[in-house]
Amino acid sequence: MSKTIAVIGAGAGLGQAVARRFGREGFGVALVARTAARVGVLADELRGEGIDAAAFPCDVADRALVTSAIDAITERFGQVDVVEFAPAGLDWLQRITPVLDTTAESLEYPFDLLLRAPMAVFGAVLPGMIERRDGALLMGTGISAGKAYPQMGNIGMAMAAARNYQLNLSAALADTGVYAGLLQVGGGIAGSDAIREYGKTRDFGELIDPADLAATYWDMYVKRDRFEELVRPTLVNQPD
């Protein structure tokens, strides 16, 4: 039986590239994202490339809905062997507050999306992975998870908390056969919604090829020899 990856927050850029990379390695691909039409189109594209893919529309920030999506994925594919959690879209970009403007209220959405949601997803798949002594939990964050970027106030706080959660998962799972790793994205991602929306009015400079990020995820998954990897831009690619 082929393995299955659940790509949580599957949009243009990173999610699309991860789905293709793992799909081409023989994985079944479950695509989870809020917009049914877009995630459906991506699933169709992957199936056209010979990849077994299915779409599961879901608001990733809603913990109840995202765990229901995991149940649906399990029913469709049998089990989840890898979860990649890196939701990136205009929602949280539009809710960024600089640190001096961050309030308790402005922390709610980023903590729901970037910490509580992955905790719910990982908690849903971990018992089966531990029982099989095989599996992987992959998380993507921005560079503000580990460095000071005051302009990313509330998002950086949520990412830092998510990184700490993933770091502790990595330690706790060390002898279980389940791998937990973190990918830090150190720049804008070519082809992503953020670049398409803001790239015409902001100079993002060099961008990261999402295929490079997907390749790094794959290398981390196969080797399982480090907790964390930081990927910085390697190309210049301005939006159309």
Side-chain angles (χ1 to χ4, degrees), residues 35-49:
T35 306
R38 290 189 61 190
V39 76
V41 168
L42 178 53
D44 289 341
E45 290 176 357
L46 293 174
R47 285 193 293 268
E49 298 168 14

Side-chain angles (χ1 to χ4, degrees), residues 177-231:
V178 182
Y179 170 71
L182 184 96
L183 178 66
Q184 282 199 37
V185 180
I189 301 174
S192 66
D193 289 337
I195 297 303
R196 290 175 178 173
E197 178 70 17
Y198 298 115
K200 292 179 173 60
T201 57
R202 301 181 189 178
D203 181 11
F204 283 87
E206 292 186 351
L207 302 178
I208 301 172
D209 186 338
D212 290 344
L213 296 170
T216 301
Y217 262 142
W218 179 256
D219 189 69
M220 293 171 70
Y221 167 70
V222 171
K223 293 180 179 176
R224 305 184 180 212
D225 58 354
R226 72 274 200 197
F227 162 68
E228 187 172 33
E229 186 82 13
L230 169 62
V231 177

Side-chain angles (χ1 to χ4, degrees), residues 95-103 106 149-154 157:
R95 298 174 190 241
I96 293 173
T97 59
V99 66
L100 295 181
D101 298 324
T102 295
T103 64
S106 66
Y149 284 90
Q151 68 273 24
M152 296 288 290
N154 60 340
M157 293 178 203

Side-chain angles (χ1 to χ4, degrees), residues 60-84:
V60 177
D62 188 316
R63 297 191 296 281
L65 291 178
V66 81
T67 51
S68 294
I70 293 297
D71 291 338
I73 292 167
T74 302
E75 183 176 350
R76 164 66 170 79
F77 287 98
Q79 66 187 41
V80 177
D81 300 281
V82 179
V83 174
E84 187 267 336

Side-chain angles (χ1 to χ4, degrees), residues 7 33 37 46 68 82 88 111 115 123 131 133 135 140 164 172 179 188 199 213 224 232 239:
V7 181
L46 293 174
S68 294
V82 179
F111 270 79
L115 178 63
E131 182 178 356
R133 296 194 63 81
N164 183 267
Y179 170 71
L213 296 170
R224 305 184 180 212
R232 294 184 181 276

